[in-house]
Amino acid sequence: MHDDRTIHVLEPDGAPLRETQDALDLIGEAFGSGVRWVAIPVERLHEDFFALRTGVAGEIAQKFVNYGIGLAVVGDVSRFTATGTALRDWVRESNRGRHVWFVADLEELAARRAAYGI
């Protein structure tokens, strides 16, 4: 848990998240703890998350949106966005919204939440 009790921050070490059930488990933890956002380090996401053709990112993101829990992917995604425009476009569009963000660090996440009043 991060100092801000409305954000659950996963540790960078641990099994990579890939399955829809992984998202549902995190959402369940969030509801149980009363947090409004889950911050997942890039290192904790399976590489399939960043290959949009697999559908993993869409499934996971949609679960967070459906349950009203914000999802922040924290860290440098440039090695994934450099290989194609689809992911780069999705990252850009997600960052324009209020539910799924790609941020460099927790400070950027805090600043964006403050700017949106969430």
Side-chain angles (χ1 to χ4, degrees):
M1 182 73 74
H2 188 256
D3 290 331
D4 179 343
R5 300 207 188 285
T6 63
I7 303 174
H8 176 68
V9 180
L10 269 65
E11 295 296 323
D13 299 327
L17 308 170
R18 184 190 182 281
E19 305 298 326
T20 303
Q21 188 60 50
D22 297 331
L24 292 172
D25 291 345
L26 288 172
I27 291 164
E29 289 175 32
F31 272 125
S33 303
V35 300
R36 304 302 310 148
W37 279 80
V38 174
I40 303 175
V42 170
E43 301 86 2
R44 287 295 300 276
L45 291 166
H46 191 278
E47 297 226 350
D48 284 353
F49 181 90
F50 300 100
L52 293 184
R53 69 188 177 324
T54 67
V56 172
E59 290 176 19
I60 289 176
Q62 191 61 51
K63 291 298 179 198
F64 279 90
V65 171
N66 289 349
Y67 286 94
I69 302 290
L71 170 62
V73 175
V74 181
D76 183 7
V77 296
S78 63
R79 73 181 173 115
F80 301 106
T81 59
T83 60
T85 59
L87 180 63
R88 190 170 44 245
D89 291 345
W90 186 59
V91 168
R92 185 177 54 251
E93 289 302 315
S94 294
N95 282 342
R96 289 181 181 162
R98 297 174 65 107
H99 304 289
V100 178
W101 291 338
F102 291 80
V103 296
D105 51 37
L106 294 175
E107 290 75 23
E108 182 181 352
L109 175 58
R112 292 194 68 169
R113 290 184 67 219
Y116 279 95
I118 52 178

